[in-house]
Amino acid sequence: MPSLDPVDPRALGRRIAEARKARGMTQEEVAGHLGCSRPTYIAIEKGDRPLKSDELLGLARLLGRRVHELVRPGEPVVELRPHLRAAVGRTRERDESALSEGIDELQRFAEDYRELETLMNAPLRMNYPPEVKLSARLDVTQLAETVAMEERLRLGLGDQPVWNLRGILEWVVGLRIFYWALPSAVAGMYAYTPEIGCCILVNRKHPAVRRRASLLHEYGHLIVDRYKPGIDYLSRSGRKPANERFAEGFALGFLMPANSVRQQFNAIVTSTDDFTVADLCRLSHFYFVSVEAMCLRLEQLGLTPRGMWQSLKESGLAPQTAARLLDLPSHPASNEPFPERYKNLAALAFEKEKISQGRLARFLRCDPVTAREIVARCLASPLVGDDGEQRDFQFTEFQRSLLAEVK
């Protein structure tokens, strides 16, 4: 039986209340399950009436929570689940369970991340762009283009390709980015609260180029839909709403800045007096985007005729085969579920004996042996501070002679 002695009864009560609301149950329904009166159950949610161990186990089962989720230390994180479930569109019945599981995982990731930060006294530094309000009087695509360029400049990225996109958005902007298996039709989901910031879940089953586009698409939603959690699908029927068109345009503009693309395109055409399918494939590799995204971007900028991508698809172009035939090297890309900072915090918490091996494995969603291997890799880097942040390399004696005698 779990011990409730160290648990703050008021924090426990708030977690139970959040879980009940997320489950769509009334206080009366839960009281009936516990076999107590509604006033008694209300006292439990307020923290005025202590819970017995068997009551806690029964509540966890009823509310679809693990016991450790209810009794974890610290204040509960705002429930993201009800808002995300409300955003679920029509989906196949077999995908419903996997999507629901993904929503649950995003909530757990947010809770776990906050717990690790509390344990290590290392709050996340958030460096978010200002919100943008959409207006029917503005061209959404042009606005997205402008905002994407401004954001690149704000982050000091200029207009060249960004290969380590996830790392920059995690370390510089302060996004909580997780990868998890979702139904194939789902690109990702996002949620924001002032307490925990922006949490993004990207479908790790998708290829790296798709994950990068999905990540920036969710980032675009943070800019225009900050307080409106959502789930994004790969395709939508009918005309897309303005916020979706903004997120899509923001992703394209950020990955493939207009000035840079024009310069690269003009350099190719000037030197060869042509622009071939091979040039298209090489250009998509340069920007680390899909051939489809590159082709659509060129069409959007008026550099190639409209309908070019559709024509290439119908002619049987296979981008992966083309990349192999053109001998284009693979980009280093990871589909690790967790942000680097999250793993670093877990490793440091374990090293400082703030969490047990069992809790370490739970934080990292793996067996204890694998968890210890992750800790060893994290702690092998001298550039990780006690707050989980990466440190600048301080060595400066690069002009020191290696032929002189060692003092």
Side-chain angles (χ1 to χ4, degrees):
M1 289 288 185
S3 170
L4 302 184
D5 294 339
V7 180
D8 177 355
R10 297 194 181 279
L12 174 59
R14 283 192 287 274
R15 288 185 186 281
I16 291 171
E18 289 279 3
R20 173 183 60 77
K21 293 172 187 174
R23 201 73 166 176
M25 299 183 72
T26 66
Q27 291 175 325
E28 191 170 353
E29 287 172 329
V30 179
H33 176 83
L34 282 181
C36 65
S37 66
R38 183 169 177 268
T40 298
Y41 176 73
I42 290 174
I44 290 172
E45 286 196 355
K46 288 183 176 180
D48 295 334
R49 193 276 208 183
L51 266 177
K52 300 173 184 175
S53 294
D54 58 336
E55 291 175 328
L56 176 62
L57 288 171
L59 273 174
R61 283 193 294 269
L62 176 67
L63 301 175
R65 295 288 191 273
R66 299 182 179 98
V67 171
H68 70 74
E69 292 182 61
L70 297 177
V71 301
R72 71 166 79 231
E75 289 296 309
V77 167
V78 174
E79 275 284 344
L80 308 174
R81 278 173 272 224
H83 307 288
L84 285 168
R85 289 202 170 102
V88 174
R90 291 184 179 180
T91 185
R92 293 176 297 183
E93 188 175 340
R94 69 185 183 188
D95 288 341
E96 218 169 292
S97 175
L99 187 54
S100 179
E101 192 177 305
I103 292 171
D104 287 343
E105 280 301 330
L106 183 57
Q107 178 73 38
R108 292 188 189 110
F109 282 141
E111 292 264 7
D112 287 349
Y113 210 150
R114 169 60 70 84
E115 184 177 345
L116 285 171
E117 289 174 340
T118 301
L119 283 169
M120 300 305 297
N121 191 27
L124 181 65
R125 294 193 296 272
M126 300 174 194
N127 178 30
Y128 297 165
E131 292 179 71
V132 171
K133 302 297 182 184
L134 298 182
S135 168
R137 298 183 179 183
L138 296 175
D139 185 308
V140 172
T141 302
Q142 287 185 2
L143 177 63
E145 188 89 41
T146 300
V147 173
M149 195 66 247
E150 288 175 349
E151 184 60 2
R152 273 179 153 267
L153 293 173
R154 187 180 78 90
L155 300 177
L157 301 176
D159 63 358
Q160 294 308 302
V162 178
W163 289 3
N164 184 26
L165 178 66
R166 184 182 182 184
I168 288 171
L169 295 183
E170 286 171 353
W171 294 105
V172 181
V173 181
L175 301 184
R176 303 181 191 274
I177 303 166
F178 307 103
Y179 288 174
W180 201 252
L182 296 170
S184 297
V186 177
M189 60 182 74
Y190 70 96
Y192 169 87
T193 69
E195 297 83 5
I196 59 175
C198 181
C199 297
I200 293 175
L201 191 72
V202 174
N203 196 341
R204 70 181 303 202
K205 293 194 299 187
H206 289 167
V209 289
R210 177 68 257 175
R211 294 197 301 267
R212 283 162 53 85
S214 298
L215 175 51
L216 281 168
H217 190 101
E218 308 304 350
Y219 192 25
H221 279 302
L222 171 69
I223 296 173
V224 293
D225 296 318
R226 188 152 303 184
Y227 297 93
K228 184 182 175 183
I231 296 172
D232 283 298
Y233 297 81
L234 290 181
S235 60
R236 285 175 173 265
S237 56
R239 179 173 169 78
K240 295 177 182 177
N243 63 335
E244 284 298 325
R245 285 183 280 128
F246 177 91
E248 189 174 275
F250 176 82
L252 286 174
F254 197 101
L255 286 169
M256 297 166 282
N259 287 340
S260 175
V261 171
R262 289 191 180 99
Q263 288 173 1
Q264 294 295 329
F265 180 85
N266 288 336
I268 294 169
V269 173
T270 300
S271 61
T272 66
D273 201 28
D274 199 1
F275 187 80
T276 66
V277 174
D279 294 324
L280 171 66
C281 293
R282 292 190 184 98
L283 203 57
S284 70
H285 181 269
F286 178 70
Y287 287 104
F288 199 175
V289 298
S290 68
V291 174
E292 177 182 4
M294 191 73 252
C295 193
L296 294 176
R297 182 63 165 155
L298 292 171
E299 291 181 26
Q300 183 187 58
L301 295 174
L303 299 173
T304 57
R306 290 281 182 179
M308 183 60 67
W309 171 245
Q310 187 61 36
S311 173
L312 288 173
K313 273 202 308 184
E314 292 173 357
S315 67
L317 174 65
Q320 290 183 336
T321 303
R324 189 168 60 251
L325 292 173
L326 293 170
D327 199 24
L328 300 177
S330 299
H331 289 290
S334 168
N335 67 348
E336 282 278 331
F338 313 104
E340 286 299 317
R341 181 173 181 269
Y342 176 97
K343 289 191 295 183
N344 291 339
L345 285 172
L348 291 166
F350 179 71
E351 184 198 30
K352 294 179 180 296
E353 300 182 346
K354 292 180 179 289
I355 59 174
S356 66
Q357 182 170 273
R359 287 181 73 194
L360 172 71
R362 176 174 64 76
F363 277 122
L364 297 176
R365 312 292 197 278
C366 62
D367 61 84
V369 173
T370 304
R372 292 293 294 267
E373 291 172 353
I374 292 173
V375 169
R377 288 198 296 271
C378 288
L379 299 182
S381 172
L383 304 183
V384 177
D386 285 351
D387 56 0
E389 301 285 357
Q390 291 178 334
R391 293 285 178 261
D392 291 333
F393 191 51
Q394 298 299 319
F395 185 81
T396 58
E397 298 181 78
F398 290 107
Q399 301 306 315
R400 188 179 76 190
S401 173
L402 296 181
L403 300 179
E405 292 185 11
V406 177
K407 296 181 181 179

